[in-house]
Amino acid sequence: MTQSLPKKSPPRGRIFPEHTLSPEALARRKAEREVFHKRCRAIFEQVRPDLIAEHYGWYIAIEPDSRDYFINKDQEVASQEARHKHPDAVHCMFCLNESGATGKI
């Protein structure tokens, strides 16, 4: 007796194909993110020497338009402080160390 194999369904595509961005839009968004990060990084490089000695390993959330920054031992608390003062703005997070990296390898 031979068994029939189940039919394979057609390959699945995007869930919302109407939300696919053009390559130009993707390139524009990437360029905007890079400009934003450079603005935040410049502020970070200015304040890091003053803060790193006393707050090494703490997190700093930077809002580049107002040049405000918020530091805390807890990354989430620093982010909440930034969102509380600037609810509609995007902020960038760094760690007060030599590189500014926040993650672990």
Side-chain angles (χ1 to χ4, degrees):
M1 179 180 208
T2 60
Q3 291 181 341
S4 62
L5 296 174
K7 290 185 179 182
K8 289 186 176 181
S9 60
R12 295 175 60 167
R14 291 188 54 87
I15 296 174
F16 300 107
E18 64 274 8
H19 294 294
T20 302
L21 295 175
S22 68
E24 295 82 19
L26 291 172
R28 187 187 80 249
R29 285 186 178 191
K30 182 178 180 182
E32 289 171 355
R33 281 193 310 268
E34 288 173 358
V35 168
F36 175 78
H37 186 266
K38 284 181 182 178
R39 291 174 54 213
C40 292
R41 184 67 150 174
I43 297 168
F44 174 69
E45 294 298 336
Q46 286 178 346
V47 300
R48 179 176 60 171
D50 299 332
L51 299 174
I52 198 168
E54 193 172 325
H55 303 288
Y56 188 85
W58 288 30
Y59 295 95
I60 179 169
I62 298 174
E63 199 285 309
D65 294 332
S66 66
R67 301 184 61 84
D68 286 343
Y69 59 90
F70 307 89
I71 60 172
N72 199 292
K73 283 183 182 180
D74 185 359
Q75 183 177 6
E76 187 59 34
V77 173
S79 182
Q80 287 173 356
E81 290 172 355
R83 284 193 304 262
H84 179 70
K85 181 151 186 196
H86 303 283
D88 298 326
V90 178
H91 63 274
C92 192
M93 186 71 66
F94 295 97
C95 184
L96 287 169
N97 57 26
E98 291 79 13
S99 66
T102 59
K104 295 181 181 178
I105 296 177

